[in-house]
Amino acid sequence: MNEVMRMLKQWLAGLSFRTGVIVLSCCIPFYVLSAVQFLLPIEAGWKGVLWVVFFGLAKTAQYGGLAILGVDGYRRLKAKMPRLFKKRCLEDD
């Protein structure tokens, strides 16, 4: 199992920054779909199934994108979009 995880980590690290950003941005439509599906006129059981599927895809895309980006890629993305990552609370300086 450790060998498989090591190989997966090595493969993900070999992917480009652009790929990481694309995979990370895919989580947004999945989050939207997981919420919007409650408006569909279908049975409650199917709504629950759809929510689990779309929310799971969103989380998979989110963590997969972050794994591809890594720490350096996250810092690079943060530097390109300072407004998105700006702290929202007041701090004592």
Side-chain angles (χ1 to χ4, degrees), residues 11-63:
W11 178 72
L12 286 174
L15 296 173
S16 70
F17 174 78
R18 184 177 180 183
T19 303
V21 172
I22 291 169
V23 171
L24 187 61
S25 64
C26 284
C27 74
I28 296 169
F30 289 133
Y31 278 125
V32 170
L33 286 172
S34 72
V36 170
Q37 57 81 26
F38 285 113
L39 300 175
L40 295 174
I42 57 176
E43 296 178 27
W46 284 109
K47 288 181 182 184
V49 169
L50 287 174
W51 181 82
V52 167
V53 169
F54 287 131
F55 193 76
L57 286 170
K59 284 297 183 186
T60 303
Q62 179 183 354
Y63 291 128

Side-chain angles (χ1 to χ4, degrees), residues 39-91:
L39 300 175
L40 295 174
I42 57 176
E43 296 178 27
W46 284 109
K47 288 181 182 184
V49 169
L50 287 174
W51 181 82
V52 167
V53 169
F54 287 131
F55 193 76
L57 286 170
K59 284 297 183 186
T60 303
Q62 179 183 354
Y63 291 128
L66 289 174
I68 294 169
L69 286 177
V71 174
D72 293 332
Y74 177 74
R75 287 184 184 144
R76 187 173 158 193
L77 183 65
K78 190 174 176 181
K80 288 185 183 245
M81 294 192 252
R83 290 177 125 189
L84 184 64
F85 293 96
K86 189 176 180 180
K87 291 187 179 178
R88 303 276 184 209
C89 62
L90 299 174
E91 295 180 3

